[in-house]
């Protein structure tokens, strides 16, 4: 049974539905990484830490490779609800200890906030260092 559960957890993580079972993961779970390292290949986790202005999210601002998938993980003790200001991303309600589905961030990135606590603000920015610089000068018509 344990093997089956573990395999299921890995699959769930790969699919980004980790948060569905998150209610059993309490604050006291010392095994949970709290650093903003990728939780799975191609997925970056942004922690929701508190109702604290621009310090509500970590890392913030987050600079991401093009096409990066993002998961918001609520490490706070109350429910939050992350939405990009342009409404292109909406995590739904994130209960304490749960994560959002992987969210694709638009090429330009953007600012986001918590719809429950509007003082919580953050931003994600695409790392454009790999993309060609826009053409500038007399030959760019
Ligand atoms: Cu909130």
């Amino acid at each position: 049974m344990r093997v089956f559960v573990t395999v299921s957890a890995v699959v769930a993580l790969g699919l980004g539905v980790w948060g569905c079972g998150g209610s059993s993961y309490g604050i006291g779970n010392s095994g949970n990484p709290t650093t903003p390292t990728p939780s799975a290949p191609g997925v970056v986790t942004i922690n929701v830490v508190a109702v604290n202005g621009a310090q509500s999210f970590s890392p913030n601002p987050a600079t991401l490779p093009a096409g990066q998938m993002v998961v918001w993980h609520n490490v706070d003790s109350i429910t939050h609800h992350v939405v990009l200001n342009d409404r292109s991303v909406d995590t739904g309600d994130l209960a304490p200890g749960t994560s959002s589905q992987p969210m694709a961030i638009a090429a330009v990135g953007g600012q986001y906030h918590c719809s429950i606590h509007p003082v919580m603000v953050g931003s994600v920015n695409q790392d454009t260092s790999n993309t060609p610089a826009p053409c500038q000068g007399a030959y760019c018509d």
Side-chain angles (χ1 to χ4, degrees):
M1 187 57 184
R2 167 58 66 183
V3 171
F4 176 75
V5 169
T6 301
V7 170
S8 297
V10 170
V11 171
L13 184 62
L15 295 174
V17 292
W18 186 255
C20 291
S23 59
S24 62
Y25 292 90
I27 298 169
N29 187 347
S30 60
N32 257 2
T34 55
T35 50
T37 51
S39 58
V43 179
V44 163
T45 297
I46 298 176
N47 287 316
V48 183
V49 294
V51 181
N52 190 20
Q55 278 74 54
S56 301
F57 303 97
S58 178
N60 179 45
T63 301
L64 311 169
Q68 181 65 57
M69 298 294 283
V70 173
V71 164
W72 276 272
H73 178 59
N74 184 4
V75 299
D76 198 6
S77 56
I78 59 176
T79 297
H80 297 290
H81 186 149
V82 176
V83 290
L84 235 66
N85 290 7
D86 66 4
R87 296 279 167 183
S88 62
V89 165
D90 185 332
T91 65
D93 283 349
L94 296 176
T98 63
S99 296
S100 71
Q101 296 288 320
M103 301 288 175
I105 303 302
V108 293
Q111 296 186 308
Y112 60 87
H113 64 280
C114 175
S115 66
I116 302 172
H117 316 99
V119 298
M120 300 173 63
V121 293
S123 64
V124 285
N125 305 292
Q126 293 291 355
D127 180 358
T128 57
S129 61
N130 291 328
T131 59
C135 187
Q136 294 178 335
Y139 302 101
C140 302
D141 292 325

